[in-house]
């Protein structure tokens, strides 16, 4: 369970498009995937804890600040693209699938703004 891209670089403020395609075959309720880009000062585990309670909003907690961008939660064969501007502050920004358990199984990566 991995993203095929686990690291990329961006310039501050650069327009970024992330396209996620779920190439799996397991139904969305048990094996959906999304891609969330988090601000660099947000504690990932705190976000994931909130995300695990947010099934109704694609595991993106609406009352938890810090997601810079996210795709929809995708079932098998589905695809979604999200476009956003990279932050102006250089640093490493994590991205990951916020479906419960998927981060710890390795569905994650880093966007390096420099
Ligand atoms: Cu996932």
């Amino acid at each position: 369970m991995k993203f095929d891209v686990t690291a990329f670089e961006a310039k501050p403020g650069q327009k970024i498009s992330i396209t996620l395609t779920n190439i799996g075959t397991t139904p969305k309720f048990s094996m959906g995937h999304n891609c969330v880009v988090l601000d660099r000062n947000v504690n990932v585990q705190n976000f994931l804890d909130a995300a695990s309670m947010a099934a109704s909003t694609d595991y993106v907690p609406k009352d938890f600040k810090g997601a810079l961008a996210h795709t929809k939660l995708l079932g098998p064969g589905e695809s979604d693209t999200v476009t956003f501007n990279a932050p102006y502050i250089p640093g490493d920004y994590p991205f990951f699938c916020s479906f419960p358990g998927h981060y710890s199984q390795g569905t994650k990566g880093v966007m390096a703004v420099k």
Side-chain angles (χ1 to χ4, degrees):
M1 193 182 318
K2 289 207 174 342
F3 292 136
D4 62 347
V5 175
T6 57
F8 67 92
E9 291 186 5
K11 302 233 177 303
Q14 183 183 352
K15 189 176 177 186
I16 305 290
S17 286
I18 293 176
T19 297
L20 179 68
T21 302
N22 180 352
I23 61 169
T25 55
T26 312
K28 179 164 142 178
F29 73 91
S30 59
M31 188 61 79
H33 299 294
N34 64 12
C35 182
V36 178
V37 184
L38 211 60
D39 210 350
R40 63 198 250 285
N41 293 325
V42 177
N43 182 285
V44 173
Q45 191 56 54
N46 289 349
F47 184 90
L48 290 171
D49 287 347
S52 69
M53 309 294 287
S56 64
T57 53
D58 285 0
Y59 297 105
V60 179
K62 293 303 173 197
D63 54 351
F64 195 104
K65 303 262 185 288
L68 300 177
H70 66 88
T71 68
K72 291 185 270 194
L73 188 71
L74 304 176
E78 294 180 334
S79 184
D80 188 36
T81 298
V82 63
T83 300
F84 64 103
N85 291 316
Y88 284 94
I89 302 172
D92 289 342
Y93 293 76
F95 63 89
F96 50 83
C97 174
S98 64
F99 193 100
H102 291 188
Y103 178 90
S104 61
Q105 291 184 61
T107 318
K108 60 185 171 182
V110 174
M111 171 179 75
V113 176
K114 56 171 91 172

